[in-house]
Amino acid sequence: MNGEPIQNVPQEVEGKDEFIKDFFVLQQQEIAVKRDELLVRKDEIHSNENIALASIASQEKIELKSRDVFLSNQKTKFLLWGVLAIVIAVVLIFSMNSGKTEIAMELIKIGGAVLLGYFAGVNRGKAQILEKQNQQPQND
């Protein structure tokens, strides 16, 4: 009787040992899979970070370029106004020195009317924009 229980115990332990070994193998495989998933996630985060940095750099370049274009347009506009003012001043001075004051008076009348119309239009546009901005918060 003593021999039978001793033989049964090692078989049960032996079966449990295989189960435990299989369990540990599965756990190791699961840990390896999770490690691989973490590495993939880390690479994904790194890739997203690179994309975000590239996007920020691109936006920065676009903003710099648009600022340069705006400044160029402003310089051109001021240059045009300056040249126009110099031409009108030269014509006025030449006509006053040559005794043709009628031409100078007509230029002053026309130039004054044009300048008044320009400034009125600019101020009208600004007023309309302010009206729209004031109406938008009330509508929201």
Side-chain angles (χ1 to χ4, degrees), residues 3 15 21 33 56 59 66 68 71 73 107 135:
K21 286 178 184 178
V33 168
I56 290 170
Q59 286 176 348
S66 65
D68 290 342
L71 288 175
N73 287 341
L107 272 174
Q135 289 176 355

Side-chain angles (χ1 to χ4, degrees), residues 1 7 9 14 24 31 35 45 58 95 102 108 116:
M1 286 194 178
Q7 290 175 352
V9 171
E14 200 175 289
F24 282 134
I31 290 171
R35 187 179 312 127
I45 290 171
S58 174
S95 64
E102 301 86 29
I108 292 172
L116 285 175

Side-chain angles (χ1 to χ4, degrees), residues 1 8 18 21 24 42 45-46 53 60 63 67 71 76 85 87 92 99 104 108 118 120-122 127 132 138 140:
M1 286 194 178
N8 288 340
E18 283 185 36
K21 286 178 184 178
F24 282 134
K42 183 179 177 182
I45 290 171
H46 184 68
L53 290 174
E60 203 172 80
E63 287 176 7
R67 187 188 74 194
L71 288 175
T76 304
V87 168
L92 286 175
I108 292 172
Y118 173 76
V122 167
K132 287 181 183 177
Q138 293 172 357
D140 292 337

Side-chain angles (χ1 to χ4, degrees), residues 8-72:
N8 288 340
V9 171
Q11 288 176 355
E12 289 177 11
V13 170
E14 200 175 289
K16 288 181 183 180
D17 284 342
E18 283 185 36
F19 175 75
I20 292 173
K21 286 178 184 178
D22 290 343
F23 180 74
F24 282 134
V25 168
L26 288 174
Q27 288 295 318
Q28 288 174 346
Q29 289 174 351
E30 196 173 316
I31 290 171
V33 168
K34 286 186 180 185
R35 187 179 312 127
D36 291 342
E37 286 176 357
L38 288 175
L39 288 174
V40 168
R41 181 69 179 140
K42 183 179 177 182
D43 289 342
E44 183 182 341
I45 290 171
H46 184 68
S47 175
N48 288 341
E49 182 180 329
N50 288 341
I51 290 170
L53 290 174
S55 175
I56 290 170
S58 174
Q59 286 176 348
E60 203 172 80
K61 288 179 184 177
I62 289 171
E63 287 176 7
L64 288 174
K65 183 68 175 172
S66 65
R67 187 188 74 194
D68 290 342
V69 169
F70 177 75
L71 288 175
S72 173

Side-chain angles (χ1 to χ4, degrees), residues 86-137:
I86 289 172
V87 168
I88 290 174
V90 167
V91 169
L92 286 175
I93 291 171
F94 182 72
S95 64
M96 297 282 267
N97 285 340
S98 66
K100 308 267 182 179
T101 57
E102 301 86 29
I103 295 174
M105 291 302 287
E106 288 299 318
L107 272 174
I108 292 172
K109 286 179 188 177
I110 293 171
V114 168
L115 281 176
L116 285 175
Y118 173 76
F119 288 124
V122 167
N123 289 329
R124 171 82 173 148
K126 287 180 182 178
Q128 286 177 340
I129 290 171
L130 286 174
E131 278 182 27
K132 287 181 183 177
Q133 288 177 348
N134 289 337
Q135 289 176 355
Q136 285 177 353

